[in-house]
């Protein structure tokens, strides 16, 4: 009897499958057709289109870089600025070159710094973080230590070469503002920072050798308390 029941159940399952297939097969065919169509559009329409755009951007960047190398600053600036304004993945790199072009072409340090500051992001791509660090270097002479720390944001905490450079800049600014203790602490950490480039480590060692160790702060002792202490020392020395 159990075999018969199993056959009946199997027949019922097959009937249900056939009924469901007849009811939904058009949707299945349609979904498959849409999937195939999407793959075809991506493969034969969208991918070639975006590949062409990327190629055009690369050619525009190469052309602007060549113009910069040749000293044609006007055309180079126009080319790099157009790439920056596109907002593509190539824009942060173009912004770094645009800042260089603006500075070399017209000596406009403020304009170059603004380009870097607008592009820089502490949590962005390497080119965006590099732009932020360059902007901080450009502002180091005029900005306060607090302003530099705000500008650098999380970059100064990052365990990377760029992060070590940011920490080095903070240490130098601290010393420039007279905080030798903080500067020495920062340079000591950089000296043993595994992420710091060798150049940063060497400069940290040079700075530590040059910056005097701050004198320890002593607590002022009232005169009436100091006198008995001196008398006690005299007694110990004479034995009387």
């Amino acid at each position: 009897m159990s075999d018969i029941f199993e056959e009946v159940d199997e027949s019922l399952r097959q009937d249900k499958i056939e009924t469901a297939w007849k009811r939904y097969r058009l949707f299945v065919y349609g979904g498959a057709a849409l999937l195939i169509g999407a793959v075809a559009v991506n493969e034969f329409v969208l991918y070639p289109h975006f590949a062409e755009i990327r190629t055009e951007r690369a050619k525009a960047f190469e052309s602007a870089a060549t113009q910069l190398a040749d000293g044609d600053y006007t055309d180079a600036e126009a080319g790099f600025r157009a790439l920056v304004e596109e907002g593509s993945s190539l824009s942060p790199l173009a912004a770094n070159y645009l800042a260089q072009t603006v500075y070399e072409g017209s000596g406009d340090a403020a304009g170059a710094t603004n380009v870097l500051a607008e592009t820089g992001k502490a949590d962005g791509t390497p080119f965006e973080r590099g732009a932020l660090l360059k902007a901080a270097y450009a502002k180091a002479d005029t900005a306060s230590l607090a302003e530099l720390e705000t500008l650098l944001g999380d970059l100064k905490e990052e365990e990377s070469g760029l992060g070590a450079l940011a920490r080095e800049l903070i240490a130098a600014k601290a010393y420039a503002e007279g905080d030798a203790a903080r500067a020495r602490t920062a340079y000591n950490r950089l000296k043993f920072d595994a992420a710091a480039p060798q150049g940063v480590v060497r400069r940290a060692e040079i700075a530590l050798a040059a910056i005097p160790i701050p004198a320890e702060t002593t607590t002022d002792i009232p005169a009436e308390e100091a006198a008995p202490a001196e008398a006690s020392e005299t007694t110990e020395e004479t034995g009387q």
Side-chain angles (χ1 to χ4, degrees):
M1 291 293 291
S2 60
D3 292 340
I4 295 175
F5 290 153
E6 289 178 1
E7 289 180 5
V8 171
D9 291 338
E10 181 65 25
S11 297
L12 289 173
R13 282 194 293 270
Q14 290 178 356
D15 289 342
K16 289 180 180 179
I17 292 173
E18 290 177 1
T19 301
W21 173 249
K22 290 177 180 179
R23 179 178 298 176
Y24 298 112
R25 61 183 178 182
L26 293 178
F27 295 101
V28 175
Y29 291 147
L34 287 174
L35 178 61
I36 294 171
V39 172
V41 168
N42 180 70
E43 186 70 22
F44 299 107
V45 179
L46 296 179
Y47 182 80
H49 172 68
F50 288 116
E52 183 179 353
I53 291 176
R54 287 193 294 270
T55 300
E56 290 175 355
R57 285 174 182 159
K59 289 180 179 178
F61 181 88
E62 183 179 1
S63 175
T66 300
Q67 291 164 343
L68 173 60
D70 293 341
D72 186 0
Y73 298 111
T74 301
D75 289 341
E77 180 178 345
F80 286 130
R81 195 173 295 280
L83 288 169
V84 170
E85 292 174 353
E86 282 186 355
S88 68
S89 58
L90 191 59
S91 295
L93 176 60
N96 281 268
Y97 276 85
L98 175 59
Q100 178 184 347
T101 305
V102 170
Y103 182 72
E104 291 184 4
S106 60
D108 185 2
T113 302
N114 287 337
V115 170
L116 294 169
E118 290 172 1
T119 302
K121 294 179 182 178
D123 57 350
T125 66
F127 293 122
E128 289 171 328
R129 300 201 305 278
L132 180 63
L133 182 59
K134 290 178 183 178
Y137 273 111
K139 293 183 176 183
D141 290 337
T142 56
S144 67
L145 177 58
E147 289 171 338
L148 280 181
E149 289 180 315
T150 300
L151 176 62
L152 289 168
D154 292 339
L155 181 60
K156 63 183 181 294
E157 309 297 337
E158 183 179 294
E159 295 299 324
S160 67
L162 288 176
L165 287 167
R167 292 189 287 277
E168 181 187 28
L169 179 59
I170 293 297
K173 188 63 180 181
Y175 181 65
E177 291 192 354
D179 193 345
R182 179 175 180 182
R184 285 190 61 86
T185 299
Y187 282 124
N188 265 313
R189 290 174 179 172
L190 284 169
K191 183 179 177 181
F192 300 102
D193 191 337
Q198 286 302 309
V200 173
V201 174
R202 286 195 297 271
R203 290 194 295 272
E205 292 172 345
I206 293 171
L208 288 169
I211 300 174
I213 299 175
E216 294 182 1
T217 303
T218 57
T219 303
D220 294 335
I221 303 175
E224 59 271 16
E225 295 181 11
E230 292 176 359
S232 176
E233 291 175 0
T234 304
T235 302
E236 291 178 359
E237 291 175 358
T238 60
Q240 298 177 357

